[in-house]
Amino acid sequence: MSVPARQVGEGSGVIRTALVTVGTGGTTFLITNGLNQPQAICIMLSILIGGIVLMVRFLVEFEKRLAAVEKLETDGMAAMKQLVGDAFSKINEATELFGSVEASALQTDLVTQLVRNSTAISPDSPPIVYQFVQAKIKETSDFLKQLSEGGTVTYYGEDRDWLLGLTRHATESVDAISLAAVDHDLWNSEIGQRYLDAQRRAARAGKRVRRIFVLDRPEMERDSDLLRAYEEQRQMAIDVRLLDRSAVPTPLQVQLRDLIVFDDILAYETTPTISDPQLAQVAETRLVLNDARVKECSQLFRELWEVSRELTAQRNA
């Protein structure tokens, strides 16, 4: 069985002290005896000097041990202070974070549920799941940051979650400008049907829902798909009007774009890849919360609404 190095060192130190003490006493005895001193004096001096040497070595060792203990205590106190400080810092941070959650307009249980569910994903999860969740959390964090700062959030491609979510949760109004380059075949698609259903429910709930169909060419007014969408949406209590592009005031020509204004406080804009309605796709979607920009969008819709028109019975026939 091996002996710890500390015990070996302590044993060798005791033996060394004993040998030094005995050697000092023996040397003293030889010297005093060589000086023809009485035997009793030789023995007494040997014991005295040996004892003094033993005491001195004991005091030196004691001082070393005391210094080591003091250093250990100092290091331990510093480590304890660091540990306690880190713990309190984390507690303060967690308390501050929880206080911010409780003070926010969002439901506290929803935020805590998000955090709790996030902690269920560990690094031991499959790499694709772990990395995907990490990316989604960062995406959500960036999205919330942009919303809280009242900026602009961009989604590259056609979004559906923003469109449907905002329509379902609008509290006052939904005002839309529909360009053929963006909305072609929209009303026959799955997302178009869900979007239309959300608008129908909003209109039934007493919210103002309006749409302007922009006609790039006069003959588009006779398009069967457009006429069907026009009539269906009017039957859903949606206020629908037509707008000839040629009737758009010159200062507004460059501002004409596909957009939806929700409650006059948030704008949803889409940009087509090209202007050809048959080939265009949605290049990007923007969610605009900048107050000045949203006011411009609301003003644009109001001005276009004033110059737009309903489908007359004669033209409809």
Side-chain angles (χ1 to χ4, degrees):
M1 183 173 61
S2 60
V3 180
R6 183 178 178 180
Q7 295 181 7
V8 173
E10 291 177 351
S12 60
V14 172
I15 295 174
R16 192 162 48 248
T17 299
L19 292 176
V20 170
T21 302
V22 172
T24 303
T27 303
T28 303
F29 179 81
L30 292 176
I31 293 174
T32 54
N33 189 49
L35 295 176
N36 298 319
Q37 296 294 328
Q39 191 74 19
I41 297 296
C42 294
I43 295 174
M44 184 169 36
L45 287 177
S46 299
I47 295 174
L48 177 63
I49 295 176
I52 293 174
V53 171
L54 177 63
M55 184 62 68
V56 170
R57 286 188 61 85
F58 173 77
L59 291 176
V60 170
E61 290 294 330
F62 178 77
E63 184 178 5
K64 288 182 180 180
R65 294 292 182 91
L66 183 61
V69 170
E70 289 178 348
K71 183 177 184 306
L72 183 62
E73 182 181 5
T74 302
D75 294 343
M77 289 296 296
M80 181 61 69
K81 288 181 180 179
Q82 181 68 30
L83 181 62
V84 172
D86 292 343
F88 273 107
S89 176
K90 292 180 180 179
I91 292 173
N92 290 337
E93 183 178 356
T95 303
E96 181 181 356
L97 180 60
F98 189 75
S100 299
V101 170
E102 288 193 322
S104 71
L106 299 177
Q107 296 182 16
T108 304
D109 56 339
L110 293 179
V111 179
T112 54
Q113 184 179 356
L114 172 64
V115 175
R116 186 177 296 108
N117 291 337
S118 300
T119 58
I121 305 296
S122 67
D124 295 332
S125 301
I128 186 172
V129 174
Y130 176 73
Q131 294 174 10
F132 178 71
V133 171
Q134 287 279 82
K136 292 300 293 184
I137 292 176
K138 183 179 185 307
E139 179 183 332
T140 302
S141 176
D142 293 340
F143 176 72
L144 294 176
K145 182 175 183 294
Q146 292 291 338
L147 290 182
S148 63
E149 294 176 351
T152 301
V153 186
T154 302
Y155 180 88
Y156 296 101
E158 183 176 10
D159 168 80
R160 61 179 291 146
D161 294 334
W162 295 351
L163 177 64
L164 298 179
L166 290 170
T167 304
R168 290 166 180 163
H169 294 95
T171 59
E172 296 181 4
S173 61
V174 179
D175 295 329
I177 300 175
S178 296
L179 300 184
V182 175
D183 293 346
H184 68 92
D185 295 331
L186 172 65
W187 312 114
N188 296 323
S189 65
E190 180 266 342
I191 183 176
Q193 292 293 318
R194 293 184 182 275
Y195 173 41
L196 198 57
D197 181 64
Q199 289 182 307
R200 177 182 64 84
R201 294 175 183 273
R204 278 188 175 184
K207 300 163 189 174
R208 187 190 70 212
V209 182
R210 299 184 293 183
R211 169 163 290 101
I212 299 174
F213 283 110
V214 179
L215 307 179
D216 294 331
R217 301 178 305 277
E219 59 270 19
M220 290 183 62
E221 186 177 353
R222 298 187 294 272
D223 183 81
S224 59
D225 291 337
L226 176 64
L227 293 176
R228 182 170 58 254
Y230 179 93
E231 293 299 337
E232 286 180 350
Q233 294 185 28
R234 285 182 66 86
Q235 293 173 9
M236 296 177 184
I238 299 174
D239 292 333
V240 186
R241 290 187 180 182
L242 303 178
L243 176 61
D244 298 300
R245 187 178 284 270
S246 59
V248 177
T250 303
L252 302 181
Q253 289 283 350
V254 294
Q255 301 182 43
L256 188 61
R257 57 192 181 277
D258 194 277
L259 67 86
I260 310 169
V261 181
F262 296 94
D263 294 342
D264 287 329
I265 59 174
L266 187 148
Y268 177 96
E269 300 180 354
T270 51
T271 304
T273 53
I274 56 178
S275 59
D276 188 346
Q278 303 302 321
L279 302 176
Q281 295 181 348
V282 176
E284 65 179 24
T285 305
R286 290 185 301 276
L287 204 57
V288 182
L289 288 96
N290 181 272
D291 186 61
R293 180 68 180 275
V294 174
K295 287 182 178 179
E296 290 179 2
C297 293
S298 298
Q299 181 64 28
L300 173 64
F301 181 88
R302 286 193 294 268
E303 293 185 20
L304 295 179
W305 185 259
E306 290 298 324
V307 297
S308 61
R309 58 180 173 81
E310 296 183 359
L311 182 66
T312 62
Q314 182 178 3
R315 288 177 174 172
N316 191 17

